[in-house]
Amino acid sequence: MKNSLILVVNFGSTSIKVDLVEPNNGESQGSLSIERLGSGKAFFRINGSTPSVTPDNAVLSLQQLLPALLDSRRDSVCASAHRVVHGGKQFTTPTLVSERVLEQLDQLSHLAPLHNPPAITGIRLTADLLPDLPHFAVFDTAFHRTIPLEASTYALPRALAKKHEIQRYGFHGISHAFTIDQVARHLNVRSTDLKIVSCHLGGGCSVCAVNRGKSVGTSMGMTPLEGLVMSTRCGDLDPAIPLLLQKEAGYSVDEVQELLTKQSGLMGLTGGVSDFRDIEQAALQGDESCRQSLDIFCHRLLQSIGSHLAVLNHADALVFTGGIGENSWWVRQQICERLSNFGVQYSRLRNEIGIPSSEQLVSEVTSAESRLRVFVSRSNEAWAIAKNVVPYLNKSVKL
Ligand code: ADP
Protein backbone atom coordinates (compact mmCIF):
# COMPACT_ATOMS: atom_id res chain seq x y z
CA MET A 1 0.00 0.00 0.00
CA LYS A 2 2.01 2.96 -1.24
CA ASN A 3 2.09 6.25 0.57
CA SER A 4 -0.91 5.64 2.81
CA LEU A 5 0.49 5.03 6.29
CA ILE A 6 0.44 7.64 9.03
CA LEU A 7 3.27 7.72 11.54
CA VAL A 8 1.54 8.36 14.88
CA VAL A 9 3.75 9.64 17.67
CA ASN A 10 2.66 9.79 21.30
CA PHE A 11 5.58 11.44 23.10
CA GLY A 12 5.04 11.32 26.86
CA SER A 13 7.17 12.40 29.78
CA THR A 14 8.54 8.90 30.48
CA SER A 15 7.49 6.92 27.41
CA ILE A 16 7.24 7.27 23.63
CA LYS A 17 4.84 5.21 21.51
CA VAL A 18 5.15 5.25 17.73
CA ASP A 19 2.84 3.38 15.33
CA LEU A 20 2.66 3.08 11.57
CA VAL A 21 -1.08 3.10 11.05
CA GLU A 22 -3.26 2.33 8.06
CA PRO A 23 -6.00 4.92 8.72
CA ASN A 24 -8.78 3.12 6.84
CA ASN A 25 -8.87 0.11 9.14
CA GLY A 26 -6.52 0.94 12.03
CA GLU A 27 -4.09 -1.85 11.12
CA SER A 28 -0.65 -1.30 12.59
CA GLN A 29 2.17 -1.91 10.11
CA GLY A 30 4.83 -1.41 12.76
CA SER A 31 5.25 -0.16 16.30
CA LEU A 32 7.98 1.17 18.54
CA SER A 33 7.68 1.79 22.24
CA ILE A 34 10.33 3.33 24.44
CA GLU A 35 9.57 3.10 28.15
CA ARG A 36 10.88 4.12 31.57
CA LEU A 37 12.76 7.12 30.18
CA GLY A 38 14.57 9.06 32.88
CA SER A 39 14.67 6.10 35.28
CA GLY A 40 18.14 4.95 34.30
CA LYS A 41 16.56 1.72 32.98
CA ALA A 42 15.07 2.83 29.66
CA PHE A 43 14.19 0.05 27.22
CA PHE A 44 12.54 -0.27 23.82
CA ARG A 45 10.54 -2.77 21.81
CA ILE A 46 10.09 -2.79 18.05
CA ASN A 47 7.04 -4.68 16.76
CA GLY A 48 6.51 -6.31 20.16
CA SER A 49 10.08 -7.68 20.36
CA THR A 50 11.60 -8.53 23.74
CA PRO A 51 12.77 -5.37 25.56
CA SER A 52 16.28 -4.08 24.77
CA VAL A 53 18.29 -1.36 26.47
CA THR A 54 18.21 2.11 24.92
CA PRO A 55 19.78 5.48 25.90
CA ASP A 56 17.91 7.11 28.76
CA ASN A 57 17.63 10.27 26.68
CA ALA A 58 14.35 10.53 24.73
CA VAL A 59 15.76 12.47 21.79
CA LEU A 60 18.83 10.27 21.39
CA SER A 61 16.75 7.13 21.69
CA LEU A 62 14.17 8.16 19.10
CA GLN A 63 16.89 9.40 16.71
CA GLN A 64 18.43 5.92 16.81
CA LEU A 65 15.24 3.86 16.75
CA LEU A 66 12.87 5.66 14.38
CA PRO A 67 14.96 4.85 11.27
CA ALA A 68 14.92 1.18 12.35
CA LEU A 69 11.11 1.23 12.62
CA LEU A 70 10.69 2.95 9.26
CA ASP A 71 13.23 0.66 7.61
CA SER A 72 11.91 -0.22 4.16
CA ARG A 73 8.51 1.43 4.80
CA ARG A 74 9.68 5.03 4.64
CA ASP A 75 8.10 5.51 1.21
CA SER A 76 4.75 4.22 2.48
CA VAL A 77 4.38 7.03 5.02
CA CYS A 78 2.37 10.08 3.95
CA ALA A 79 2.33 12.14 7.17
CA SER A 80 3.06 12.13 10.87
CA ALA A 81 0.44 12.84 13.55
CA HIS A 82 1.33 13.82 17.11
CA ARG A 83 -0.84 13.69 20.19
CA VAL A 84 -0.65 17.05 21.96
CA VAL A 85 -2.40 17.14 25.31
CA HIS A 86 -3.18 20.86 25.58
CA GLY A 87 -4.32 23.01 22.69
CA GLY A 88 -5.64 25.83 24.87
CA LYS A 89 -8.41 27.90 23.31
CA GLN A 90 -6.62 28.35 19.97
CA PHE A 91 -6.31 24.79 18.68
CA THR A 92 -9.67 23.17 18.16
CA THR A 93 -8.91 21.02 15.10
CA PRO A 94 -5.94 18.91 13.93
CA THR A 95 -3.31 21.42 12.85
CA LEU A 96 -0.55 21.29 10.28
CA VAL A 97 2.63 22.13 12.17
CA SER A 98 4.72 25.15 11.23
CA GLU A 99 7.36 27.11 13.16
CA ARG A 100 4.59 29.53 14.18
CA VAL A 101 2.41 26.67 15.48
CA LEU A 102 5.34 25.27 17.49
CA GLU A 103 5.85 28.70 19.07
CA GLN A 104 2.16 28.87 19.98
CA LEU A 105 2.31 25.38 21.47
CA ASP A 106 5.32 26.39 23.46
CA GLN A 107 3.37 29.36 24.84
CA LEU A 108 0.74 26.88 26.11
CA SER A 109 3.31 24.80 27.99
CA HIS A 110 2.45 26.47 31.30
CA LEU A 111 -1.02 24.85 31.05
CA ALA A 112 0.46 21.35 30.65
CA PRO A 113 4.08 21.50 31.81
CA LEU A 114 4.47 17.72 31.98
CA HIS A 115 2.84 17.02 28.61
CA ASN A 116 3.27 19.75 26.00
CA PRO A 117 7.08 20.20 26.07
CA PRO A 118 7.82 16.51 25.26
CA ALA A 119 5.21 16.59 22.45
CA ILE A 120 6.94 19.63 20.92
CA THR A 121 10.28 17.81 21.14
CA GLY A 122 8.71 14.81 19.39
CA ILE A 123 7.34 16.94 16.56
CA ARG A 124 10.68 18.70 15.99
CA LEU A 125 12.56 15.46 15.99
CA THR A 126 10.19 13.74 13.56
CA ALA A 127 10.24 16.78 11.29
CA ASP A 128 14.06 16.64 11.27
CA LEU A 129 14.07 12.94 10.42
CA LEU A 130 11.29 13.17 7.81
CA PRO A 131 11.67 16.67 6.36
CA ASP A 132 9.54 16.04 3.28
CA LEU A 133 6.38 14.96 5.10
CA PRO A 134 3.57 17.07 6.55
CA HIS A 135 3.37 16.86 10.36
CA PHE A 136 0.13 17.34 12.30
CA ALA A 137 -0.69 18.08 15.92
CA VAL A 138 -3.88 16.44 17.23
CA PHE A 139 -5.24 17.83 20.48
CA ASP A 140 -6.76 16.07 23.49
CA THR A 141 -8.59 19.26 24.40
CA ALA A 142 -10.20 19.86 20.98
CA PHE A 143 -13.21 17.56 21.44
CA HIS A 144 -14.24 19.55 24.54
CA ARG A 145 -14.48 22.93 22.80
CA THR A 146 -18.30 22.46 22.84
CA ILE A 147 -18.58 22.36 26.65
CA PRO A 148 -20.98 25.17 27.56
CA LEU A 149 -19.88 28.14 29.64
CA GLU A 150 -21.66 27.03 32.82
CA ALA A 151 -19.69 23.78 32.76
CA SER A 152 -16.33 25.23 31.74
CA THR A 153 -16.22 28.20 34.14
CA TYR A 154 -14.67 28.05 37.61
CA ALA A 155 -16.18 30.31 40.28
CA LEU A 156 -13.21 32.68 40.43
CA PRO A 157 -13.09 36.44 39.77
CA ARG A 158 -13.77 36.69 36.04
CA ALA A 159 -10.97 39.13 35.18
CA LEU A 160 -8.36 36.96 36.88
CA ALA A 161 -9.63 33.78 35.20
CA LYS A 162 -9.61 35.52 31.82
CA LYS A 163 -6.10 36.91 32.27
CA HIS A 164 -4.64 33.49 33.10
CA GLU A 165 -6.94 31.49 30.77
CA ILE A 166 -8.30 29.56 33.73
CA GLN A 167 -11.21 27.38 32.62
CA ARG A 168 -12.16 23.74 32.18
CA TYR A 169 -10.50 22.48 28.99
CA GLY A 170 -11.00 18.73 29.44
CA PHE A 171 -8.71 15.96 28.14
CA HIS A 172 -8.79 12.42 26.68
CA GLY A 173 -10.90 13.99 23.91
CA ILE A 174 -9.31 11.86 21.18
CA SER A 175 -10.28 8.71 23.11
CA HIS A 176 -13.82 9.85 24.07
CA ALA A 177 -14.58 10.86 20.46
CA PHE A 178 -13.25 7.56 19.09
CA THR A 179 -15.19 5.58 21.71
CA ILE A 180 -18.58 7.14 21.02
CA ASP A 181 -17.97 6.69 17.31
CA GLN A 182 -17.30 2.98 17.86
CA VAL A 183 -20.45 2.55 19.97
CA ALA A 184 -22.55 4.36 17.34
CA ARG A 185 -21.14 2.06 14.63
CA HIS A 186 -21.89 -0.96 16.81
CA LEU A 187 -25.51 0.21 17.20
CA ASN A 188 -25.70 1.13 13.52
CA VAL A 189 -26.72 4.74 14.27
CA ARG A 190 -24.95 8.08 13.95
CA SER A 191 -23.07 9.41 16.99
CA THR A 192 -25.27 12.52 16.70
CA ASP A 193 -28.26 10.28 17.54
CA LEU A 194 -26.85 9.29 20.93
CA LYS A 195 -26.45 10.61 24.46
CA ILE A 196 -23.53 8.80 26.07
CA VAL A 197 -21.47 8.91 29.27
CA SER A 198 -17.97 7.79 28.32
CA CYS A 199 -15.45 6.57 30.92
CA HIS A 200 -11.78 6.49 29.89
CA LEU A 201 -10.05 4.55 32.66
CA GLY A 202 -6.32 4.06 32.11
CA GLY A 203 -3.27 5.58 33.82
CA GLY A 204 -5.24 8.84 33.65
CA CYS A 205 -9.00 8.60 34.08
CA SER A 206 -11.89 10.81 33.00
CA VAL A 207 -15.65 10.75 32.49
CA CYS A 208 -17.30 12.71 29.69
CA ALA A 209 -20.95 13.53 28.95
CA VAL A 210 -21.55 13.48 25.20
CA ASN A 211 -24.81 14.91 23.89
CA ARG A 212 -25.49 14.02 20.25
CA GLY A 213 -21.78 13.83 19.40
CA LYS A 214 -20.72 16.89 21.40
CA SER A 215 -18.87 16.98 24.70
CA VAL A 216 -20.99 18.90 27.22
CA GLY A 217 -19.06 18.13 30.38
CA THR A 218 -16.04 16.24 31.63
CA SER A 219 -14.32 15.44 34.90
CA MET A 220 -10.86 16.73 33.97
CA GLY A 221 -10.41 20.46 34.21
CA MET A 222 -7.88 23.13 33.43
CA THR A 223 -5.26 20.38 33.69
CA PRO A 224 -5.46 16.56 33.63
CA LEU A 225 -5.17 16.57 37.44
CA GLU A 226 -8.83 17.21 38.26
CA GLY A 227 -11.54 14.59 38.62
CA LEU A 228 -11.24 10.86 39.26
CA VAL A 229 -8.70 8.98 41.33
CA MET A 230 -5.92 8.05 38.87
CA SER A 231 -2.84 5.92 38.88
CA THR A 232 -0.59 8.57 40.49
CA ARG A 233 -2.77 11.73 40.23
CA CYS A 234 -5.00 12.76 43.11
CA GLY A 235 -8.04 14.00 41.14
CA ASP A 236 -10.53 16.20 43.03
CA LEU A 237 -9.31 17.74 46.28
CA ASP A 238 -10.53 20.48 48.55
CA PRO A 239 -8.52 23.42 47.10
CA ALA A 240 -7.50 24.31 50.66
CA ILE A 241 -5.38 21.14 50.92
CA PRO A 242 -2.44 22.28 48.72
CA LEU A 243 -2.49 25.60 50.60
CA LEU A 244 -2.34 23.80 53.92
CA LEU A 245 0.54 21.62 52.72
CA GLN A 246 2.49 24.77 51.89
CA LYS A 247 1.53 26.78 54.97
CA GLU A 248 1.57 24.07 57.63
CA ALA A 249 3.66 21.20 56.28
CA GLY A 250 6.44 23.24 54.64
CA TYR A 251 5.98 21.95 51.09
CA SER A 252 7.29 24.11 48.23
CA VAL A 253 5.15 24.72 45.13
CA ASP A 254 7.21 22.18 43.16
CA GLU A 255 6.92 19.61 45.93
CA VAL A 256 3.13 20.00 46.01
CA GLN A 257 3.02 19.55 42.23
CA GLU A 258 5.17 16.41 42.46
CA LEU A 259 3.03 15.06 45.31
CA LEU A 260 -0.32 15.61 43.60
CA THR A 261 0.72 14.40 40.14
CA LYS A 262 3.18 11.60 40.82
CA GLN A 263 2.75 10.32 44.37
CA SER A 264 -1.00 10.46 44.94
CA GLY A 265 -4.01 8.64 43.45
CA LEU A 266 -3.80 4.84 43.73
CA MET A 267 -0.05 5.08 44.32
CA GLY A 268 -0.57 7.26 47.40
CA LEU A 269 -3.57 5.35 48.72
CA THR A 270 -1.94 1.91 48.49
CA GLY A 271 1.44 3.11 49.72
CA GLY A 272 3.33 2.49 46.48
CA VAL A 273 1.29 0.40 44.02
CA SER A 274 -0.11 2.24 40.99
CA ASP A 275 -0.84 -0.62 38.56
CA PHE A 276 -4.52 -1.54 38.75
CA ARG A 277 -3.92 -5.25 38.07
CA ASP A 278 -1.48 -5.47 40.96
CA ILE A 279 -3.92 -3.67 43.27
CA GLU A 280 -6.79 -6.01 42.32
CA GLN A 281 -4.52 -9.01 42.88
CA ALA A 282 -3.32 -7.76 46.26
CA ALA A 283 -6.91 -6.96 47.33
CA LEU A 284 -7.94 -10.52 46.40
CA GLN A 285 -5.13 -11.83 48.57
CA GLY A 286 -6.45 -9.84 51.55
CA ASP A 287 -4.46 -6.60 51.40
CA GLU A 288 -6.79 -4.19 53.23
CA SER A 289 -5.25 -0.94 51.98
CA CYS A 290 -5.53 -2.14 48.36
CA ARG A 291 -9.16 -3.17 48.91
CA GLN A 292 -9.99 0.25 50.36
CA SER A 293 -8.17 1.96 47.49
CA LEU A 294 -10.36 0.13 44.99
CA ASP A 295 -13.47 1.18 46.94
CA ILE A 296 -12.33 4.82 46.90
CA PHE A 297 -11.60 4.59 43.15
CA CYS A 298 -15.07 3.16 42.43
CA HIS A 299 -16.88 5.60 44.71
CA ARG A 300 -15.36 8.61 42.95
CA LEU A 301 -16.07 7.06 39.55
CA LEU A 302 -19.70 6.37 40.49
CA GLN A 303 -20.17 9.96 41.70
CA SER A 304 -18.75 11.33 38.48
CA ILE A 305 -20.87 9.04 36.26
CA GLY A 306 -23.95 10.08 38.27
CA SER A 307 -23.28 13.79 37.83
CA HIS A 308 -22.66 13.37 34.08
CA LEU A 309 -25.85 11.29 33.70
CA ALA A 310 -27.67 14.16 35.42
CA VAL A 311 -26.19 16.69 32.99
CA LEU A 312 -27.55 14.63 30.08
CA ASN A 313 -30.87 14.07 31.91
CA HIS A 314 -31.35 10.92 29.87
CA ALA A 315 -28.57 8.76 28.42
CA ASP A 316 -28.71 5.91 25.90
CA ALA A 317 -25.45 4.34 26.95
CA LEU A 318 -22.57 4.20 29.39
CA VAL A 319 -19.26 3.05 27.92
CA PHE A 320 -15.97 1.92 29.44
CA THR A 321 -12.60 2.13 27.70
CA GLY A 322 -8.86 2.35 28.56
CA GLY A 323 -6.74 -0.34 30.24
CA ILE A 324 -8.93 -0.51 33.37
CA GLY A 325 -12.26 0.15 31.63
CA GLU A 326 -11.67 -2.59 29.06
CA ASN A 327 -10.14 -5.18 31.33
CA SER A 328 -11.48 -4.84 34.85
CA TRP A 329 -14.84 -6.65 34.95
CA TRP A 330 -14.80 -6.01 38.68
CA VAL A 331 -14.88 -2.21 38.28
CA ARG A 332 -17.69 -2.47 35.70
CA GLN A 333 -19.62 -4.76 38.03
CA GLN A 334 -19.30 -2.31 40.95
CA ILE A 335 -20.66 0.49 38.81
CA CYS A 336 -23.42 -1.53 37.09
CA GLU A 337 -24.73 -2.89 40.40
CA ARG A 338 -24.95 0.58 41.92
CA LEU A 339 -26.75 2.00 38.89
CA SER A 340 -29.62 -0.50 39.00
CA ASN A 341 -32.08 2.30 39.89
CA PHE A 342 -30.84 4.24 36.88
CA GLY A 343 -32.08 1.37 34.71
CA VAL A 344 -28.91 -0.73 34.38
CA GLN A 345 -29.49 -4.48 34.25
CA TYR A 346 -26.24 -6.19 33.42
CA SER A 347 -25.35 -9.75 32.57
CA ARG A 348 -22.69 -11.19 34.88
CA LEU A 349 -21.42 -13.48 32.16
CA ARG A 350 -21.22 -10.79 29.46
CA ASN A 351 -19.48 -8.47 31.88
CA GLU A 352 -16.91 -11.06 32.90
CA ILE A 353 -16.18 -11.91 29.26
CA GLY A 354 -15.84 -8.22 28.26
CA ILE A 355 -14.75 -7.96 24.62
CA PRO A 356 -14.71 -11.59 23.46
CA SER A 357 -12.45 -11.49 20.39
CA SER A 358 -9.42 -9.47 19.41
CA GLU A 359 -11.12 -8.33 16.18
CA GLN A 360 -14.15 -6.99 18.02
CA LEU A 361 -14.03 -3.36 19.14
CA VAL A 362 -17.24 -3.03 21.16
CA SER A 363 -19.38 -5.37 23.21
CA GLU A 364 -22.43 -4.91 25.41
CA VAL A 365 -22.52 -6.05 29.03
CA THR A 366 -26.17 -5.25 29.74
CA SER A 367 -29.11 -7.56 29.14
CA ALA A 368 -31.97 -6.95 26.69
CA GLU A 369 -34.29 -5.34 29.27
CA SER A 370 -31.72 -2.77 30.47
CA ARG A 371 -33.02 0.82 30.08
CA LEU A 372 -29.47 2.21 30.21
CA ARG A 373 -27.16 0.09 28.04
CA VAL A 374 -23.53 -0.45 29.09
CA PHE A 375 -20.71 -1.16 26.63
CA VAL A 376 -17.01 -1.94 26.68
CA SER A 377 -15.01 -0.38 23.85
CA ARG A 378 -11.45 -1.26 22.90
CA SER A 379 -9.33 1.85 22.71
CA ASN A 380 -6.96 2.32 19.80
CA GLU A 381 -5.44 5.72 20.36
CA ALA A 382 -3.03 5.47 17.42
CA TRP A 383 -5.89 4.79 14.99
CA ALA A 384 -7.98 7.55 16.57
CA ILE A 385 -5.13 10.04 16.06
CA ALA A 386 -4.49 8.86 12.49
CA LYS A 387 -8.18 9.14 11.54
CA ASN A 388 -8.20 12.72 12.81
CA VAL A 389 -5.68 13.94 10.27
CA VAL A 390 -7.05 12.21 7.16
CA PRO A 391 -9.42 15.08 6.21
CA TYR A 392 -6.48 17.52 6.41
CA LEU A 393 -3.97 15.60 4.31
CA ASN A 394 -4.63 17.44 1.06
CA LYS A 395 -4.16 20.82 2.66
CA SER A 396 -0.66 19.95 3.85
CA VAL A 397 2.60 21.70 3.14
CA LYS A 398 5.91 20.84 4.74
CA LEU A 399 7.32 22.35 7.94
P1 ADP B 1 -2.19 4.64 29.71
O1 ADP B 1 -3.03 5.74 30.24
O2 ADP B 1 -0.81 4.60 30.27
O3 ADP B 1 -2.26 4.46 28.20
P2 ADP B 1 -3.72 2.16 29.80
O4 ADP B 1 -4.96 2.61 29.12
O5 ADP B 1 -2.85 1.17 29.12
O6 ADP B 1 -2.86 3.36 30.35
O7 ADP B 1 -4.17 1.56 31.22
C1 ADP B 1 -3.23 1.18 32.17
C2 ADP B 1 -3.96 0.64 33.39
O8 ADP B 1 -4.85 -0.43 33.00
C3 ADP B 1 -3.00 0.11 34.42
O9 ADP B 1 -3.37 0.55 35.72
C4 ADP B 1 -3.23 -1.39 34.30
O10 ADP B 1 -2.99 -2.05 35.51
C5 ADP B 1 -4.70 -1.47 33.94
N1 ADP B 1 -4.99 -2.78 33.37
C6 ADP B 1 -4.47 -3.35 32.26
N2 ADP B 1 -4.93 -4.63 32.14
C7 ADP B 1 -5.74 -4.86 33.19
C8 ADP B 1 -6.51 -5.98 33.63
N3 ADP B 1 -6.52 -7.15 32.96
N4 ADP B 1 -7.25 -5.84 34.76
C9 ADP B 1 -7.24 -4.69 35.46
N5 ADP B 1 -6.53 -3.60 35.08
C10 ADP B 1 -5.79 -3.68 33.98
Side-chain angles (χ1 to χ4, degrees):
M1 224 167 293
K2 191 153 173 60
N3 199 19
S4 67
L5 299 178
I6 296 182
L7 182 77
V8 177
V9 183
N10 197 334
F11 204 111
S13 49
T14 61
S15 71
I16 306 172
K17 292 181 195 162
V18 187
D19 287 275
L20 280 167
V21 179
E22 168 52 63
N24 291 327
N25 55 19
E27 243 173 57
S28 173
Q29 303 287 333
S31 67
L32 161 68
S33 70
I34 306 172
E35 294 172 46
R36 302 210 175 185
L37 285 161
S39 71
K41 294 180 187 159
F43 65 86
F44 75 93
R45 293 174 214 259
I46 287 192
N47 300 324
S49 62
T50 47
S52 307
V53 176
T54 189
D56 209 19
N57 176 297
V59 173
L60 217 57
S61 221
L62 199 58
Q63 270 170 340
Q64 286 179 7
L65 294 169
L66 199 52
L69 173 72
L70 289 169
D71 190 26
S72 55
R73 283 163 296 202
R74 193 177 275 252
D75 289 343
S76 314
V77 181
C78 62
S80 83
H82 299 256
R83 175 181 175 219
V84 178
V85 165
H86 218 307
K89 285 185 185 176
Q90 301 91 305
F91 294 107
T92 55
T93 55
T95 302
L96 183 67
V97 174
S98 63
E99 268 308 324
R100 171 87 191 106
V101 168
L102 287 175
E103 276 164 29
Q104 288 174 300
L105 290 180
D106 200 29
Q107 283 157 16
L108 289 170
S109 286
H110 68 287
L111 293 172
L114 302 178
H115 297 95
N116 273 25
I120 297 169
T121 307
I123 296 171
R124 284 201 182 280
L125 195 69
T126 314
D128 283 349
L129 288 170
L130 299 164
D132 296 326
L133 292 189
H135 304 277
F136 292 89
V138 180
F139 299 93
D140 249 338
T141 41
F143 180 60
H144 300 295
R145 66 190 178 278
T146 47
I147 294 181
L149 182 112
E150 66 271 20
S152 67
T153 307
Y154 292 106
L156 289 169
R158 282 184 188 269
L160 185 74
K162 188 164 182 226
K163 181 171 174 207
H164 295 285
E165 300 180 286
I166 298 172
Q167 64 165 74
R168 180 181 307 284
Y169 291 96
F171 300 88
H172 287 149
I174 299 164
S175 168
H176 288 302
F178 180 78
T179 301
I180 59 155
D181 209 37
Q182 293 306 320
V183 173
R185 272 167 199 269
H186 179 82
L187 295 173
N188 211 11
V189 296
R190 287 172 304 191
S191 58
T192 48
D193 293 331
L194 294 173
K195 289 182 164 198
I196 294 191
V197 173
S198 165
C199 307
H200 177 106
L201 309 176
C205 301
S206 72
V207 170
C208 178
V210 187
N211 188 0
R212 308 201 178 286
K214 291 184 176 168
S215 170
V216 292
T218 190
S219 57
M220 281 179 166
M222 171 158 158
T223 73
L225 189 54
E226 190 179 343
L228 305 176
V229 174
M230 303 178 226
S231 144
T232 61
R233 285 172 252 171
C234 60
D236 289 343
L237 280 184
D238 180 335
I241 294 171
L243 304 177
L244 177 137
L245 288 171
Q246 287 172 77
K247 279 190 352 203
E248 307 291 334
Y251 277 70
S252 68
V253 172
D254 286 347
E255 284 167 345
V256 171
Q257 166 145 324
E258 172 83 10
L259 177 82
L260 303 184
T261 55
K262 296 194 177 154
Q263 296 162 14
S264 296
L266 293 166
M267 168 85 95
L269 288 167
T270 56
V273 195
S274 63
D275 189 285
F276 209 83
R277 276 165 295 201
D278 295 345
I279 300 170
E280 282 189 331
Q281 189 62 34
L284 270 178
Q285 288 164 353
D287 184 311
E288 188 57 14
S289 110
C290 284
R291 198 192 55 73
Q292 281 177 2
S293 306
L294 294 176
D295 289 344
I296 295 164
F297 178 91
C298 287
H299 177 78
R300 185 86 65 82
L301 174 60
L302 181 72
Q303 274 187 320
S304 186
I305 292 170
S307 66
H308 288 89
L309 283 172
V311 165
L312 291 176
N313 196 6
H314 153 82
D316 303 294
L318 171 66
V319 54
F320 291 91
T321 192
I324 300 169
E326 287 164 46
N327 296 302
S328 174
W329 61 265
W330 183 84
V331 166
R332 296 193 302 262
Q333 178 178 306
Q334 297 306 302
I335 299 302
C336 286
E337 281 180 352
R338 291 177 221 183
L339 289 177
S340 57
N341 283 337
F342 285 71
V344 171
Q345 292 196 37
Y346 79 104
S347 148
R348 247 171 211 277
L349 184 64
R350 282 186 186 180
N351 184 47
E352 282 176 22
I353 292 172
I355 307 182
S357 82
S358 58
E359 288 87 52
Q360 203 172 324
L361 291 174
V362 175
S363 82
E364 181 166 6
V365 303
T366 33
S367 46
E369 53 283 2
S370 191
R371 272 189 289 120
L372 175 56
R373 300 175 76 178
V374 181
F375 296 91
V376 190
S377 173
R378 199 187 299 283
S379 65
N380 184 336
E381 202 158 33
W383 187 20
I385 294 169
K387 273 169 53 145
N388 263 275
V389 304
V390 170
Y392 298 86
L393 284 176
N394 290 338
K395 302 171 192 166
S396 52
V397 290
K398 70 178 201 176
L399 183 66

